[in-house]
Amino acid sequence: MTYPLGLQLRGRKVLVVGGGPVAARRIPALLDDGALVTVVAPYACEDISERAAAGSLQWLQREYVPADLDGAWLVLSHSGTPAVEDRVAADADAARVWCVKGGDHQASRAWVPAVAKVDDVSVAVNTNGDPKRAAALRDGVAAALDSGELPLRRHRRSPSSEGAVGSVALVGGGPADAGLITTRGRRLLAMADVVVADRLGPRALIPGLGADVEVIEVGKLPGNHPVPQDEINRILVEQALLGNRVVRLKGGDPYVLGRGGEEEAYCRDHGVPVEVVPGVTSAISVPAAAGIPVTHRGVAKGFSVITGHEDITQQAGLIPVGSDHTLVLLMGVSLLPKSVASLISGGRQPSTPVAIIENGWMDSQRVTTGTLETIAGLAAVRGVKSPAVIVVGDVVTLSPHWPTSHLPLSVEINTE
Ligand SMILES: C[S@@+](CC[C@H](N)C(=O)[O-])C[C@H]1O[C@@H](n2cnc3c(N)ncnc32)[C@H](O)[C@@H]1O
């Protein structure tokens, strides 16, 4: 067994014997820790020779001699030749220098553990001389840290941190499915003290937050009214100024019709460090959930995303009217009749295919297809409700929800 220890190598000489791939793999971590690395080897792989040429390490292009150990605090012997390894280990022992002896874990005085590094945390795994097992464990730990399954740290306010400003992360949570948040977003969520949550996004992650995490709901949920944007901004800054790590968990992407820019600017203006974590926008991913690619070779070369929450006449006039250009409307359910009328009067063919996808990525996802001419009536019959993404253009016909007999149009009865 070994005694686990962390070494502070900054400014200390570390000797690496050997210039092969194993030596090359060990060197970056030594350099990252500020070690003064000397490599002794008649030949070295490109990685080492390039670092030597760049001045980040010293390469003595010859065989090892005992004097190489002079001034060294640590030696890593990875020459690949057992006799050299034996000699270096014996010399190091005599000189009282810790030695990692390559190729012979049992005879080695020191071992390099398998290390997972995430942010400022490193987890070192030693498995009594079984590097494959150590690497497998390390990978498991790294994945759990990355995904946020293993919270890196809770940063609750403490008397000693009084006066310290916290931070805000505007995290795009994706459309609804908890698997569609980014790794970074998931990790920040696992480190949050306060989560300011919308009604859309990966809601399933909220019950899994620690009991000490304060969740502030600002979206319209049953039993509560949506919080006005000014108030959301104020909450973000207030919580961060209390020293908290705040995650603003948003649906989709923060910058796509999500007011992420406003929240970011407000935080900056109030001296709060803020970062934006992009998310999977509903504008692309919700059509995808219904089998609709927003572009497709030979069908659509581009797409536009606009809000359907207001009169779209002016905006729609700036967008190509051909059905080979996909138009995606967010927040478009309540004004759908008005919007389709504007699109037709703006020059789009009444027969242009349209799909409405409600509750994308949720168990309750439902797709309604029609054309510009019929979709408003169909939506009324079906009682289509928000949240929904409306897609206009020929790409809709690529969806398995688009009935082959869909001419002129029909309501899809057999829903998901
Ligand atoms: C205020 S916008 C926010 C958009 C978000 N920033 C994004 O990138 O997806 C809210 C609109 O996004 C759409 N939306 C978001 N999530 C959805 C989902 N899971 N299913 C259907 N529509 C969704 C709806 O059009 C909804 O009205």
mmCIF file of all heavy atoms in Angstrom, residues 174-176 199-201 251-258 280-283 286 329-332 357-362 386-390, ligand 1:
data_model
loop_
_atom_site.group_PDB
_atom_site.id
_atom_site.type_symbol
_atom_site.label_atom_id
_atom_site.label_comp_id
_atom_site.label_asym_id
_atom_site.label_seq_id
_atom_site.Cartn_x
_atom_site.Cartn_y
_atom_site.Cartn_z
ATOM 1 N N GLY A 174 -32.032 23.673 -21.900
ATOM 2 C CA GLY A 174 -32.621 22.848 -22.952
ATOM 3 C C GLY A 174 -34.136 22.839 -22.838
ATOM 4 O O GLY A 174 -34.712 23.495 -21.967
ATOM 5 N N PRO A 175 -34.791 22.086 -23.704
ATOM 6 C CA PRO A 175 -36.236 22.211 -23.838
ATOM 7 C C PRO A 175 -37.078 21.603 -22.713
ATOM 8 O O PRO A 175 -38.129 22.108 -22.404
ATOM 9 C CB PRO A 175 -36.538 21.500 -25.148
ATOM 10 C CG PRO A 175 -35.410 20.559 -25.348
ATOM 11 C CD PRO A 175 -34.213 21.185 -24.711
ATOM 12 N N ALA A 176 -36.666 20.542 -22.083
ATOM 13 C CA ALA A 176 -37.467 19.937 -20.998
ATOM 14 C C ALA A 176 -36.786 18.690 -20.471
ATOM 15 O O ALA A 176 -36.731 18.474 -19.269
ATOM 16 C CB ALA A 176 -38.872 19.562 -21.476
ATOM 17 N N ARG A 199 -40.385 28.023 -15.733
ATOM 18 C CA ARG A 199 -41.348 26.913 -15.799
ATOM 19 C C ARG A 199 -40.919 25.941 -16.878
ATOM 20 O O ARG A 199 -41.265 24.764 -16.837
ATOM 21 C CB ARG A 199 -42.745 27.486 -16.058
ATOM 22 C CG ARG A 199 -43.270 27.319 -17.440
ATOM 23 C CD ARG A 199 -44.491 28.164 -17.715
ATOM 24 N NE ARG A 199 -44.366 28.802 -19.002
ATOM 25 C CZ ARG A 199 -45.044 28.439 -20.071
ATOM 26 N NH1 ARG A 199 -45.897 27.453 -20.009
ATOM 27 N NH2 ARG A 199 -44.869 29.053 -21.220
ATOM 28 N N LEU A 200 -40.183 26.402 -17.870
ATOM 29 C CA LEU A 200 -39.716 25.498 -18.920
ATOM 30 C C LEU A 200 -38.267 25.120 -18.629
ATOM 31 O O LEU A 200 -37.600 25.775 -17.847
ATOM 32 C CB LEU A 200 -39.812 26.177 -20.291
ATOM 33 C CG LEU A 200 -41.235 26.505 -20.748
ATOM 34 C CD1 LEU A 200 -41.215 27.294 -22.057
ATOM 35 C CD2 LEU A 200 -42.059 25.232 -20.921
ATOM 36 N N GLY A 201 -37.804 24.072 -19.260
ATOM 37 C CA GLY A 201 -36.440 23.615 -18.995
ATOM 38 C C GLY A 201 -36.470 22.275 -18.274
ATOM 39 O O GLY A 201 -37.523 21.639 -18.155
ATOM 40 N N GLY A 251 -35.110 27.796 -19.691
ATOM 41 C CA GLY A 251 -35.458 26.819 -20.721
ATOM 42 C C GLY A 251 -34.691 27.140 -21.992
ATOM 43 O O GLY A 251 -34.397 28.303 -22.276
ATOM 44 N N GLY A 252 -34.351 26.113 -22.759
ATOM 45 C CA GLY A 252 -33.693 26.338 -24.054
ATOM 46 C C GLY A 252 -32.351 27.007 -23.909
ATOM 47 O O GLY A 252 -31.546 26.661 -23.054
ATOM 48 N N ASP A 253 -32.116 28.017 -24.745
ATOM 49 C CA ASP A 253 -30.870 28.778 -24.718
ATOM 50 C C ASP A 253 -31.168 30.170 -24.146
ATOM 51 O O ASP A 253 -32.162 30.788 -24.523
ATOM 52 C CB ASP A 253 -30.303 28.906 -26.143
ATOM 53 C CG ASP A 253 -28.998 29.661 -26.134
ATOM 54 O OD1 ASP A 253 -29.026 30.920 -26.155
ATOM 55 O OD2 ASP A 253 -27.949 29.013 -26.084
ATOM 56 N N PRO A 254 -30.286 30.664 -23.265
ATOM 57 C CA PRO A 254 -30.580 31.955 -22.630
ATOM 58 C C PRO A 254 -30.711 33.116 -23.614
ATOM 59 O O PRO A 254 -31.429 34.080 -23.354
ATOM 60 C CB PRO A 254 -29.372 32.178 -21.711
ATOM 61 C CG PRO A 254 -28.761 30.846 -21.508
ATOM 62 C CD PRO A 254 -29.053 30.053 -22.746
ATOM 63 N N TYR A 255 -30.003 33.014 -24.746
ATOM 64 C CA TYR A 255 -29.981 34.145 -25.677
ATOM 65 C C TYR A 255 -31.050 34.051 -26.771
ATOM 66 O O TYR A 255 -31.138 34.938 -27.611
ATOM 67 C CB TYR A 255 -28.611 34.230 -26.357
ATOM 68 C CG TYR A 255 -27.500 34.829 -25.511
ATOM 69 C CD1 TYR A 255 -26.170 34.711 -25.913
ATOM 70 C CD2 TYR A 255 -27.772 35.531 -24.344
ATOM 71 C CE1 TYR A 255 -25.139 35.253 -25.161
ATOM 72 C CE2 TYR A 255 -26.746 36.072 -23.592
ATOM 73 C CZ TYR A 255 -25.437 35.933 -23.998
ATOM 74 O OH TYR A 255 -24.419 36.489 -23.261
ATOM 75 N N VAL A 256 -31.797 32.960 -26.811
ATOM 76 C CA VAL A 256 -32.829 32.849 -27.869
ATOM 77 C C VAL A 256 -34.184 33.187 -27.250
ATOM 78 O O VAL A 256 -34.775 32.384 -26.516
ATOM 79 C CB VAL A 256 -32.852 31.432 -28.486
ATOM 80 C CG1 VAL A 256 -33.956 31.337 -29.542
ATOM 81 C CG2 VAL A 256 -31.509 31.096 -29.105
ATOM 82 N N LEU A 257 -34.641 34.391 -27.506
ATOM 83 C CA LEU A 257 -35.917 34.880 -26.976
ATOM 84 C C LEU A 257 -36.062 34.531 -25.495
ATOM 85 O O LEU A 257 -37.138 34.142 -25.047
ATOM 86 C CB LEU A 257 -37.088 34.315 -27.797
ATOM 87 C CG LEU A 257 -37.077 34.710 -29.285
ATOM 88 C CD1 LEU A 257 -38.165 33.983 -30.061
ATOM 89 C CD2 LEU A 257 -37.250 36.210 -29.456
ATOM 90 N N GLY A 258 -34.956 34.665 -24.773
ATOM 91 C CA GLY A 258 -34.963 34.244 -23.376
ATOM 92 C C GLY A 258 -34.541 35.328 -22.406
ATOM 93 O O GLY A 258 -34.416 35.075 -21.215
ATOM 94 N N VAL A 280 -29.585 24.038 -25.381
ATOM 95 C CA VAL A 280 -30.202 23.500 -26.597
ATOM 96 C C VAL A 280 -31.531 24.229 -26.775
ATOM 97 O O VAL A 280 -32.444 24.080 -25.969
ATOM 98 C CB VAL A 280 -30.443 21.985 -26.422
ATOM 99 C CG1 VAL A 280 -31.244 21.423 -27.580
ATOM 100 C CG2 VAL A 280 -29.117 21.254 -26.278
ATOM 101 N N THR A 281 -31.610 25.045 -27.805
ATOM 102 C CA THR A 281 -32.820 25.861 -27.944
ATOM 103 C C THR A 281 -34.019 25.041 -28.425
ATOM 104 O O THR A 281 -33.872 24.131 -29.259
ATOM 105 C CB THR A 281 -32.579 27.051 -28.891
ATOM 106 O OG1 THR A 281 -33.804 27.782 -29.004
ATOM 107 C CG2 THR A 281 -32.130 26.624 -30.277
ATOM 108 N N SER A 282 -35.183 25.399 -27.933
ATOM 109 C CA SER A 282 -36.413 24.719 -28.372
ATOM 110 C C SER A 282 -36.663 24.992 -29.853
ATOM 111 O O SER A 282 -37.320 24.200 -30.531
ATOM 112 C CB SER A 282 -37.607 25.196 -27.539
ATOM 113 O OG SER A 282 -37.834 26.571 -27.750
ATOM 114 N N ALA A 283 -36.135 26.110 -30.360
ATOM 115 C CA ALA A 283 -36.396 26.484 -31.755
ATOM 116 C C ALA A 283 -35.910 25.403 -32.723
ATOM 117 O O ALA A 283 -36.472 25.216 -33.797
ATOM 118 C CB ALA A 283 -35.716 27.814 -32.070
ATOM 119 N N VAL A 286 -37.101 21.219 -30.505
ATOM 120 C CA VAL A 286 -38.491 20.754 -30.424
ATOM 121 C C VAL A 286 -38.978 20.275 -31.809
ATOM 122 O O VAL A 286 -39.570 19.191 -31.903
ATOM 123 C CB VAL A 286 -39.406 21.825 -29.785
ATOM 124 C CG1 VAL A 286 -40.866 21.449 -29.925
ATOM 125 C CG2 VAL A 286 -39.039 21.978 -28.302
ATOM 126 N N LEU A 329 -41.681 29.726 -35.185
ATOM 127 C CA LEU A 329 -42.305 30.710 -34.298
ATOM 128 C C LEU A 329 -42.312 30.169 -32.882
ATOM 129 O O LEU A 329 -42.805 29.063 -32.630
ATOM 130 C CB LEU A 329 -43.769 30.947 -34.703
ATOM 131 C CG LEU A 329 -44.058 31.676 -36.003
ATOM 132 C CD1 LEU A 329 -45.547 31.649 -36.301
ATOM 133 C CD2 LEU A 329 -43.595 33.118 -35.900
ATOM 134 N N LEU A 330 -41.754 30.937 -31.951
ATOM 135 C CA LEU A 330 -41.871 30.598 -30.537
ATOM 136 C C LEU A 330 -42.961 31.477 -29.928
ATOM 137 O O LEU A 330 -43.213 32.585 -30.415
ATOM 138 C CB LEU A 330 -40.551 30.841 -29.798
ATOM 139 C CG LEU A 330 -39.314 30.076 -30.286
ATOM 140 C CD1 LEU A 330 -38.152 30.274 -29.316
ATOM 141 C CD2 LEU A 330 -39.595 28.596 -30.466
ATOM 142 N N MET A 331 -43.555 31.014 -28.863
ATOM 143 C CA MET A 331 -44.601 31.766 -28.149
ATOM 144 C C MET A 331 -45.720 32.196 -29.108
ATOM 145 O O MET A 331 -46.248 33.299 -29.003
ATOM 146 C CB MET A 331 -43.997 33.021 -27.481
ATOM 147 C CG MET A 331 -42.921 32.702 -26.472
ATOM 148 S SD MET A 331 -42.157 34.177 -25.782
ATOM 149 C CE MET A 331 -41.012 34.608 -27.072
ATOM 150 N N GLY A 332 -46.068 31.314 -30.027
ATOM 151 C CA GLY A 332 -46.967 31.740 -31.105
ATOM 152 C C GLY A 332 -48.384 31.194 -31.017
ATOM 153 O O GLY A 332 -49.163 31.396 -31.954
ATOM 154 N N ILE A 357 -45.734 21.752 -32.445
ATOM 155 C CA ILE A 357 -45.300 20.713 -31.494
ATOM 156 C C ILE A 357 -45.490 21.279 -30.094
ATOM 157 O O ILE A 357 -44.806 22.223 -29.692
ATOM 158 C CB ILE A 357 -43.815 20.330 -31.720
ATOM 159 C CG1 ILE A 357 -43.589 19.936 -33.177
ATOM 160 C CG2 ILE A 357 -43.415 19.169 -30.800
ATOM 161 C CD1 ILE A 357 -42.895 20.975 -34.004
ATOM 162 N N GLU A 358 -46.432 20.701 -29.376
ATOM 163 C CA GLU A 358 -46.663 21.118 -27.985
ATOM 164 C C GLU A 358 -45.832 20.235 -27.061
ATOM 165 O O GLU A 358 -45.609 19.052 -27.336
ATOM 166 C CB GLU A 358 -48.136 20.898 -27.595
ATOM 167 C CG GLU A 358 -49.141 21.689 -28.394
ATOM 168 C CD GLU A 358 -50.555 21.133 -28.151
ATOM 169 O OE1 GLU A 358 -51.173 21.491 -27.132
ATOM 170 O OE2 GLU A 358 -51.014 20.326 -28.995
ATOM 171 N N ASN A 359 -45.410 20.818 -25.947
ATOM 172 C CA ASN A 359 -44.709 20.054 -24.893
ATOM 173 C C ASN A 359 -43.572 19.193 -25.434
ATOM 174 O O ASN A 359 -43.501 17.996 -25.125
ATOM 175 C CB ASN A 359 -45.695 19.174 -24.126
ATOM 176 C CG ASN A 359 -46.783 20.001 -23.482
ATOM 177 O OD1 ASN A 359 -46.545 21.145 -23.105
ATOM 178 N ND2 ASN A 359 -47.968 19.445 -23.376
ATOM 179 N N GLY A 360 -42.737 19.807 -26.250
ATOM 180 C CA GLY A 360 -41.645 19.052 -26.855
ATOM 181 C C GLY A 360 -40.775 18.361 -25.822
ATOM 182 O O GLY A 360 -40.459 18.921 -24.782
ATOM 183 N N TRP A 361 -40.403 17.144 -26.095
ATOM 184 C CA TRP A 361 -39.523 16.323 -25.252
ATOM 185 C C TRP A 361 -40.181 15.886 -23.949
ATOM 186 O O TRP A 361 -39.520 15.375 -23.062
ATOM 187 C CB TRP A 361 -38.196 17.030 -24.936
ATOM 188 C CG TRP A 361 -37.377 17.227 -26.161
ATOM 189 C CD1 TRP A 361 -37.303 18.361 -26.905
ATOM 190 C CD2 TRP A 361 -36.542 16.262 -26.804
ATOM 191 N NE1 TRP A 361 -36.465 18.171 -27.976
ATOM 192 C CE2 TRP A 361 -35.982 16.888 -27.933
ATOM 193 C CE3 TRP A 361 -36.213 14.930 -26.531
ATOM 194 C CZ2 TRP A 361 -35.110 16.238 -28.794
ATOM 195 C CZ3 TRP A 361 -35.344 14.279 -27.391
ATOM 196 C CH2 TRP A 361 -34.803 14.947 -28.514
ATOM 197 N N MET A 362 -41.470 16.123 -23.828
ATOM 198 C CA MET A 362 -42.163 15.666 -22.614
ATOM 199 C C MET A 362 -43.016 14.463 -22.992
ATOM 200 O O MET A 362 -43.293 14.217 -24.169
ATOM 201 C CB MET A 362 -43.077 16.767 -22.064
ATOM 202 C CG MET A 362 -42.346 18.055 -21.740
ATOM 203 S SD MET A 362 -43.483 19.308 -21.114
ATOM 204 C CE MET A 362 -42.625 20.806 -21.545
ATOM 205 N N SER A 386 -49.866 26.406 -25.189
ATOM 206 C CA SER A 386 -48.458 26.709 -24.972
ATOM 207 C C SER A 386 -47.925 25.766 -23.870
ATOM 208 O O SER A 386 -48.721 25.372 -23.011
ATOM 209 C CB SER A 386 -48.373 28.153 -24.517
ATOM 210 O OG SER A 386 -47.056 28.543 -24.381
ATOM 211 N N PRO A 387 -46.671 25.367 -23.838
ATOM 212 C CA PRO A 387 -45.625 25.763 -24.765
ATOM 213 C C PRO A 387 -45.674 24.936 -26.048
ATOM 214 O O PRO A 387 -45.910 23.729 -26.015
ATOM 215 C CB PRO A 387 -44.343 25.458 -23.996
ATOM 216 C CG PRO A 387 -44.699 24.281 -23.142
ATOM 217 C CD PRO A 387 -46.142 24.487 -22.767
ATOM 218 N N ALA A 388 -45.464 25.644 -27.133
ATOM 219 C CA ALA A 388 -45.459 24.956 -28.419
ATOM 220 C C ALA A 388 -44.540 25.701 -29.387
ATOM 221 O O ALA A 388 -44.383 26.922 -29.293
ATOM 222 C CB ALA A 388 -46.865 24.905 -28.990
ATOM 223 N N VAL A 389 -43.949 24.942 -30.275
ATOM 224 C CA VAL A 389 -43.135 25.525 -31.346
ATOM 225 C C VAL A 389 -43.886 25.309 -32.656
ATOM 226 O O VAL A 389 -44.393 24.212 -32.919
ATOM 227 C CB VAL A 389 -41.738 24.863 -31.384
ATOM 228 C CG1 VAL A 389 -40.962 25.310 -32.623
ATOM 229 C CG2 VAL A 389 -40.956 25.208 -30.120
ATOM 230 N N ILE A 390 -43.959 26.374 -33.450
ATOM 231 C CA ILE A 390 -44.664 26.298 -34.733
ATOM 232 C C ILE A 390 -43.619 26.338 -35.846
ATOM 233 O O ILE A 390 -42.753 27.220 -35.851
ATOM 234 C CB ILE A 390 -45.654 27.480 -34.870
ATOM 235 C CG1 ILE A 390 -46.680 27.407 -33.722
ATOM 236 C CG2 ILE A 390 -46.338 27.472 -36.232
ATOM 237 C CD1 ILE A 390 -47.451 28.694 -33.512
HETATM 238 C C1 LIG B 1 -39.746 32.637 -23.707
HETATM 239 S S1 LIG B 1 -39.465 31.496 -24.997
HETATM 240 C C2 LIG B 1 -37.943 30.876 -24.495
HETATM 241 C C3 LIG B 1 -37.206 30.121 -25.547
HETATM 242 C C4 LIG B 1 -35.935 29.504 -25.035
HETATM 243 N N1 LIG B 1 -35.002 30.512 -24.659
HETATM 244 C C5 LIG B 1 -35.312 28.549 -26.030
HETATM 245 O O1 LIG B 1 -34.206 28.803 -26.533
HETATM 246 O O2 LIG B 1 -35.905 27.508 -26.274
HETATM 247 C C6 LIG B 1 -40.603 30.243 -24.583
HETATM 248 C C7 LIG B 1 -41.113 29.531 -25.812
HETATM 249 O O3 LIG B 1 -40.204 28.522 -26.197
HETATM 250 C C8 LIG B 1 -40.914 27.443 -26.752
HETATM 251 N N2 LIG B 1 -40.649 26.248 -25.952
HETATM 252 C C9 LIG B 1 -39.724 26.124 -25.000
HETATM 253 N N3 LIG B 1 -39.685 24.875 -24.540
HETATM 254 C C10 LIG B 1 -40.608 24.186 -25.210
HETATM 255 C C11 LIG B 1 -41.018 22.834 -25.192
HETATM 256 N N4 LIG B 1 -40.473 21.940 -24.381
HETATM 257 N N5 LIG B 1 -41.991 22.455 -26.055
HETATM 258 C C12 LIG B 1 -42.536 23.334 -26.894
HETATM 259 N N6 LIG B 1 -42.183 24.627 -26.946
HETATM 260 C C13 LIG B 1 -41.206 25.046 -26.128
HETATM 261 C C14 LIG B 1 -42.367 27.823 -26.739
HETATM 262 O O4 LIG B 1 -42.654 28.458 -27.965
HETATM 263 C C15 LIG B 1 -42.411 28.796 -25.592
HETATM 264 O O5 LIG B 1 -43.518 29.627 -25.683
#
